[in-house]
Amino acid sequence: MKNSFLFIGFFLLLVPLVTAQLQIGFYNSTCPRAELIVRKVIQQRFKTDHSITAAFLRMHFHDCFVRGCDASVLIDPTKTTPSEKDAVPNQTVRGFNIIDQIKKKLEAACPGIVSCADIITLATRESVALAGGPNYTVPTGRRDGLISDPNLVNVPGPTFSVSEALQSFTAKGLTLNDMVTLLGAHTVGVAHCDFFLDRLSDFQGTGKPDPTMDPALVSKLFNLCGTQSRPFKKDPTAFLDQSTPFVVDNQYYNDILSRRGIMQIDQELALDNSSASIVSGFANDAVGFQRSFADALVKMGSIEVLVGNTGQIRKNCRVFN
């Protein structure tokens, strides 16, 4: 956990890479304990479940890549109206109950002030720091969106090539370096076998494993997953980072350089000419990765945000007011 405190001084001086309407300390006068309330809930949950870091990184990504960071991913579907939660890529998003807990405490302290979009952003920051990642400063002031449509969910998939994935990132104003950095979030968390099953025995219809995967890892994962797809709730999972799966560090990049990437897009980052040098740089520079990871998360958190009088501040993060 020693890296948690390396960059506090740096990020206190960091000029926010976000739209001008987002501000450091946005709630200082209207809800001065807002960030502390979020921190305490996340700290309490992290004590018993270190996997929440991966959960919030995934939630934050899936929220920001669909109509911007507006908490649309939190809306519950109804019998008549579907929501983003119904989309297949969001079936693995979790942590909604923790957002509910934070929102309840914030509404008790300062009703109608703190947005659900900011809660996601702050919860992600807290969980990253607790897992050994950078303790960075988060600008706030986002408002909550009024649309949650499963048909709009189009996030990069695990079988994307580097160029295909980059198109999705650049469409959101992010660079190749941002993409390679943000995929470093796979230093924590798991993947269901179904996301990489084809790599183990019949890669792209060849009848053989993916030749870019370490044979020892192929054998290990084959024993775990077998050859048949299973229902999601019964599908086994594998750690994306085989060495330090609950720590936000640069081990992911060392893994993919050693052909131990679990998902195809992970491994291709180390093989593609456009991204290979960035991967090598992060593998050899833990401090550089931490700094870049914080920068990229702040930048991602500014995608298409609603500010001022747009959107709303939800009373319940699961439903529109």
Side-chain angles (χ1 to χ4, degrees):
M1 299 290 179
K2 61 178 179 296
N3 288 333
S4 295
F5 305 101
L6 287 179
F7 305 103
I8 295 175
F10 177 85
F11 287 106
L12 286 174
L13 299 175
L14 183 66
V15 176
L17 304 172
V18 294
T19 51
Q21 294 99 324
L22 295 182
Q23 302 171 19
I24 301 296
F26 180 83
Y27 297 110
N28 282 354
S29 60
T30 56
C31 190
R33 296 183 64 250
E35 296 195 23
L36 179 61
I37 289 171
V38 176
R39 180 174 299 123
K40 285 187 174 181
V41 173
I42 297 302
Q43 287 175 338
Q44 194 62 36
R45 288 298 188 111
F46 189 82
K47 288 178 182 177
T48 58
D49 183 6
H50 286 9
S51 75
I52 67 170
T53 304
F56 283 120
L57 282 166
R58 187 171 183 80
M59 180 189 291
H60 195 23
F61 177 80
H62 280 235
D63 183 43
C64 292
F65 263 64
V66 182
R67 293 183 58 83
C69 310
D70 66 350
S72 55
V73 73
L74 301 180
I75 294 295
D76 280 342
T78 67
K79 292 181 179 179
T80 58
T81 308
S83 77
E84 289 177 25
K85 286 182 178 179
D86 292 312
V88 172
N90 286 342
Q91 300 303 303
T92 53
V93 177
R94 59 188 179 87
F96 302 117
N97 61 325
I98 307 177
I99 298 293
D100 294 338
Q101 183 183 356
I102 295 170
K103 182 61 172 174
K104 183 177 180 179
K105 289 181 178 295
L106 286 169
E107 285 298 302
C110 36
I113 298 297
V114 182
S115 70
C116 300
D118 276 341
I119 293 174
I120 295 175
T121 307
L122 291 167
T124 302
R125 186 268 303 273
E126 297 302 334
S127 66
V128 165
L130 287 169
N135 191 352
Y136 54 99
T137 302
V138 175
T140 45
R142 298 163 190 79
R143 289 172 65 85
D144 301 323
L146 299 170
I147 296 173
S148 183
D149 183 347
N151 296 315
L152 299 177
V153 177
N154 184 25
V155 295
T159 61
F160 274 33
S161 67
V162 172
S163 60
E164 289 171 336
L166 183 58
Q167 290 179 17
S168 296
F169 280 80
T170 54
K172 300 299 180 182
L174 300 171
T175 66
L176 175 64
N177 191 81
D178 295 329
M179 182 182 82
V180 178
T181 303
L182 289 168
L183 283 171
H186 290 171
T187 187
V188 290
V190 299
H192 284 265
C193 288
D194 200 47
F195 287 109
F196 56 86
L197 194 62
D198 69 310
R199 299 189 70 203
L200 306 181
S201 59
D202 188 22
F203 183 62
Q204 298 181 346
T206 62
K208 298 179 181 180
D210 185 342
T212 67
M213 184 183 281
D214 171 39
L217 182 59
V218 170
S219 179
K220 176 183 175 180
L221 295 177
F222 184 84
N223 289 335
L224 171 71
C225 301
T227 59
Q228 300 298 317
S229 294
R230 309 180 201 187
F232 176 74
K233 291 184 178 179
K234 296 183 179 180
D235 194 24
T237 60
F239 288 119
L240 292 167
D241 175 339
Q242 299 287 294
S243 303
T244 55
F246 295 107
V247 181
V248 175
D249 58 13
N250 67 331
Q251 182 58 42
Y252 163 82
Y253 300 101
N254 287 286
D255 281 349
I256 61 178
L257 284 176
S258 301
R259 300 196 299 154
R260 295 177 63 78
I262 301 298
M263 294 195 292
Q264 188 176 338
I265 180 58
D266 293 334
Q267 191 55 63
E268 290 199 8
L269 284 182
L271 301 172
D272 192 281
N273 288 336
S274 68
S275 52
S277 62
I278 304 174
V279 170
S280 296
F282 286 152
N284 293 306
D285 185 2
V287 170
F289 165 66
Q290 294 265 351
R291 182 171 58 247
S292 187
F293 194 53
D295 287 349
L297 284 173
V298 172
K299 190 174 179 181
M300 184 182 76
S302 73
I303 295 174
E304 299 169 30
V305 292
L306 300 174
V307 294
N309 295 320
T310 58
Q312 61 182 202
I313 304 297
R314 287 184 214 142
K315 297 176 183 178
N316 178 342
C317 290
R318 293 175 181 263
V319 298
F320 302 120
N321 291 347

